């Protein structure tokens, strides 16, 4: 695994051919295009904000 975007969305890279894929909204592997990279980055940012907010709320 190359990178965990959220609990359900991950990015992978083949260590032999360097082909990159990500999990789609349906849970299937799909090629990691520039568009998908942008979507994953936005998802990661939203996920981090939500997780941080939940932790702050839960700890107070």
């Amino acid at each position: 695994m190359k990178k965990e975007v959220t609990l359900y969305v991950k990015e992978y890279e083949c260590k032999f051919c360097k082909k990159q894929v990500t999990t789609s909204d349906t849970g299937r592997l799909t090629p990691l295009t520039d568009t998908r990279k942008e979507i994953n980055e936005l998802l990661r940012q939203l996920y981090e904000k939500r997780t941080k907010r939940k932790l702050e709320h839960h700890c107070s």
Side-chain angles (χ1 to χ4, degrees):
M1 179 170 45
K2 179 182 175 187
K3 182 169 143 185
E4 185 173 299
V5 179
T6 70
L7 289 176
Y8 302 103
V9 178
K10 296 170 178 50
E11 294 177 358
Y12 302 92
E13 180 178 75
C14 176
K15 62 182 175 180
F16 300 107
C17 68
K18 304 299 182 200
K19 181 178 178 181
Q20 296 178 331
V21 294
T22 186
T23 47
S24 68
D25 54 336
T26 59
R28 294 189 172 151
L29 291 179
T30 185
L32 186 60
T33 61
D34 288 339
T35 303
R36 288 279 181 185
K37 286 180 184 179
E38 288 179 36
I39 291 169
N40 283 356
E41 181 59 25
L42 290 171
L43 278 173
R44 185 192 61 76
Q45 290 172 6
L46 289 171
Y47 178 74
E48 283 182 0
K49 282 182 185 178
R50 181 178 290 168
T51 304
K52 184 178 178 183
R53 223 178 299 147
K54 281 184 180 180
L55 284 174
E56 288 173 353
H57 177 73
H58 185 52
C59 291
S60 56

